[in-house]
Amino acid sequence: MARLALLLSAFLLVQVSSAALSPSSYWKHVLPDTHMPDVVRAFLYPDLVEKQATEVGAEGKEVVVNAPGTHVIVGRPGVRVHAPGTYVNVGHGVGVYSGHGRKPVVVRAPYGPFLYNYAASEDQLKYDPNVALFFLEKDLHQGKKMNLQFVRTDGAGPAFVPRAVADATPFSTAKFPDILHRFSLSPNSKEASLMKRTLQECEEPANKGETRYCATSLESMVDFSVSQLGTRHLQVLATEVEKGDNPQERRTYTVLGGVELVATPTSVVCHNQPYPYAVFYCHKTTASRAYVVPLGADDGSKVNAVAVCHLDTSTWNPKHLAFRVLGVKPGSVPVCHFLPQDHLVWAPVN
């Protein structure tokens, strides 16, 4: 019965989701007036960007979605997506692969500093590049110099899988042995450790005044942001880094003119998490301000950086990286941070 319920749920989901639209088509359907940032597009499999299903149906014990050049099956032993140059099988003992020059799937280090209950270690104070991203809101003015490092990602990380795939795949610490089996990973591997940490963080309760959600597909991230902000008239912002920036080096940036307040007091911020396919930890806060900050370096490099300032940090971990870097106490002053290139701010259009 449980398997039948899963298949029925997946079938209904595929039908309701605008006849099994591709992730990018779903974006256009729900957010017709919202520009998709390049960083979001970089998380899509090339062959699934514009393909729309032409047939949805049940065949025996499987749910099948057929599109030109794309074949999706939800059923035993898992979920399979076939497209030219792309193969996704979230079944037993198979991982995720994409062709067309996309880099191999890499599970990267977590972005713990952007979680409120995070406690920094001494090593992170010395070596974590995220240290430089924190600053005080009073410093957000033209002419302010900051020593920063912005890492260009260019779609090097894992891509989004379609929602039918994500929803039919276990995503919980209770199912962790099954998840490792599906991806052929050893419980003692670094990848397994990072994945488990992501699952644990996704299951932690929200802080006071916060609503959190881990989006395992682009479609679910869209739905969460729309539901939390109460409108489809949204802007989605990401830090834009010029190609000349060296990801291995910090440099001195100067805040240029034109700092823009884009959202207050409510926005949804989504942080890319380490996992074999794209997962975003999203949270809505009701006491924040989001800015777009033009930055320039002496060598001519420029960054349009997205920054979020948290107005109430009283419930954060007192050992959070921000407090240790800035020398302030929880709840004393607004704490701000720039966002890496592959993190997003969702905000209502003013």
Side-chain angles (χ1 to χ4, degrees):
M1 291 297 293
R3 180 178 294 277
L4 180 60
L6 172 62
L7 294 176
L8 179 60
S9 174
F11 179 59
L12 292 175
L13 173 65
V14 170
Q15 284 189 313
V16 171
S17 298
S18 301
L21 295 175
S22 68
S24 61
S25 295
Y26 188 80
W27 177 292
K28 293 177 183 177
H29 175 74
V30 178
L31 304 171
D33 301 320
T34 302
H35 170 71
M36 179 185 287
D38 290 342
V39 65
V40 174
R41 193 169 296 278
F43 277 99
L44 302 178
Y45 283 109
D47 295 292
L48 299 180
V49 169
E50 297 297 339
K51 296 188 181 300
Q52 180 173 339
T54 57
E55 178 185 346
V56 180
E59 298 182 2
K61 293 184 179 181
E62 295 180 327
V63 177
V64 180
V65 179
N66 289 313
T70 305
H71 189 58
V72 181
I73 302 174
V74 182
R76 273 187 316 196
V79 181
R80 301 178 294 286
V81 179
H82 302 274
T86 301
Y87 180 74
V88 181
N89 184 328
V90 190
H92 294 296
V94 184
V96 181
Y97 164 80
S98 176
H100 288 299
R102 189 176 185 90
K103 297 179 181 180
V105 170
V106 177
V107 179
R108 294 179 295 179
Y111 287 108
F114 303 111
L115 304 176
Y116 301 154
N117 60 354
Y118 171 84
S121 67
E122 292 298 329
D123 284 344
Q124 285 168 310
L125 286 171
K126 296 179 181 178
Y127 304 114
D128 190 338
N130 292 312
V131 166
L133 296 180
F134 288 94
F135 62 95
L136 297 178
E137 191 174 29
K138 67 181 181 64
D139 294 327
L140 197 57
H141 59 81
Q142 185 174 353
K144 174 66 178 181
K145 294 185 180 296
M146 300 182 180
N147 192 23
L148 302 169
Q149 178 183 10
F150 291 98
V151 178
R152 287 184 57 83
T153 56
D154 294 324
F160 281 114
V161 295
R163 179 156 58 181
V165 177
D167 287 356
T169 306
F171 189 81
S172 69
T173 52
K175 297 288 186 180
F176 193 56
D178 182 20
I179 294 171
L180 293 180
H181 179 63
R182 288 168 182 259
F183 289 104
S184 298
L185 289 173
S186 166
N188 299 320
S189 65
K190 179 180 179 181
E191 290 81 4
S193 175
L194 294 174
M195 289 168 62
K196 187 171 185 179
R197 179 172 173 178
T198 290
L199 293 171
Q200 290 171 336
E201 291 173 347
C202 287
E203 293 174 356
E204 289 183 357
N207 276 27
K208 181 181 178 181
E210 177 195 27
T211 304
R212 63 169 59 178
Y213 173 72
C214 277
T216 56
S217 66
L218 180 61
E219 298 94 320
S220 63
M221 182 164 60
V222 168
D223 288 351
F224 175 77
S225 301
V226 169
S227 68
Q228 293 302 308
L229 298 173
T231 179
R232 294 188 179 192
H233 300 288
L234 299 176
Q235 53 185 326
V236 184
L237 305 168
T239 294
E240 299 176 356
V241 182
E242 282 197 353
K243 293 183 178 180
D245 196 31
N246 186 340
Q248 304 303 321
E249 296 179 358
R250 290 188 189 180
R251 62 185 63 198
T252 300
Y253 287 93
T254 301
V255 177
L256 305 177
V259 175
E260 180 184 3
L261 175 65
V262 293
T264 187
T266 301
S267 63
V268 170
V269 183
C270 294
H271 306 284
N272 185 21
Q273 295 294 104
Y275 214 70
Y277 52 88
V279 171
F280 279 77
Y281 162 78
C282 299
H283 57 126
K284 183 192 79 170
T285 58
T286 55
S288 65
R289 287 189 278 263
Y291 296 89
V292 173
V293 185
L295 300 169
D298 292 340
D299 65 356
S301 297
K302 293 184 178 180
V303 176
N304 280 324
V306 175
V308 176
C309 294
H310 300 276
L311 309 184
D312 182 6
T313 60
S314 58
T315 61
W316 290 24
N317 190 319
K319 296 182 179 180
H320 193 282
L321 183 64
F323 303 136
R324 303 186 69 175
V325 170
L326 300 174
V328 297
K329 295 182 179 180
S332 59
V333 293
V335 169
C336 307
H337 59 81
F338 292 111
L339 291 178
Q341 186 187 12
D342 53 0
H343 295 206
L344 305 168
V345 168
W346 300 70
V349 175
N350 297 326

